[in-house]
Amino acid sequence: MVDEVLFVCHANMCRSPMAEFIARRLLADCPVTVASAGTDALDGAPMHPYAVEVAAGTGADAAAFRTRRLRAEHLAGASLVLTATRRQRSVCTALAPAALHRTFTLRQFARLAAAAEPAPTGAGSPLRAAVEAAARARAGLQPAAPDADDLRDPIGGSPADFRRCAEEIERSIRPVLALIGTAG
């Protein structure tokens, strides 16, 4: 069984698909798949044009990407759920309470991954070991300010706003990648 990282935002048009394409590039050597969905997405819409430009910068062709509305089965099948905001994290855990211990905001999980002890090797899949290591790190960290967990939505902004959002996504994925690497 292949582990999946699921990125979730509001409409699945900007943040979560950019995260999906960025993570797919960064995690290419890891035994994981990457997907995205939106808590309030309309199934079948294209990505925002500025988000398509960001995705193209990863070497991917995002023209065929279509949005999808978050469903409980998406959460049930994911080993790690990373949301853009605390609100979306709450929606995910209300939709699938069993996903609570593997659902974080992206920025929250990045902080936990950076502070975590190396994930033990041989403790199951590298991704699942990383999730467990990050969850253990939670007890040793001071709570962050509420806005420190939310990834600002670039919708309505300029191409530069989308690039800044993508840079924040990439900065947040790098500690996750490093933690997965310790268990791989």
Side-chain angles (χ1 to χ4, degrees), residues 19-45:
E20 176 182 346
F21 284 103
I22 292 166
R24 194 170 286 143
R25 176 179 50 85
L26 293 174
L27 300 172
D29 295 331
C30 296
V32 299
T33 61
V34 181
S36 66
T39 57
D40 296 277
L42 299 174
D43 285 323

Side-chain angles (χ1 to χ4, degrees), residues 43-110:
D43 285 323
M47 281 173 68
H48 188 284
Y50 297 156
V52 170
E53 289 177 21
V54 168
T58 69
D61 179 7
F65 179 89
R66 293 294 175 260
T67 59
R68 68 180 186 158
R69 185 174 187 86
L70 180 69
R71 292 175 176 67
E73 58 267 19
H74 301 146
L75 298 163
S79 301
L80 175 60
V81 179
L82 297 172
T83 68
T85 68
R86 292 168 292 127
R87 179 197 166 277
Q88 288 136 13
R89 182 182 62 202
S90 294
V91 170
C92 289
T93 58
L95 188 58
L100 174 68
H101 298 295
R102 51 193 162 80
T103 302
F104 307 84
T105 71
L106 174 60
R107 294 178 74 189
Q108 172 193 28
F109 195 77

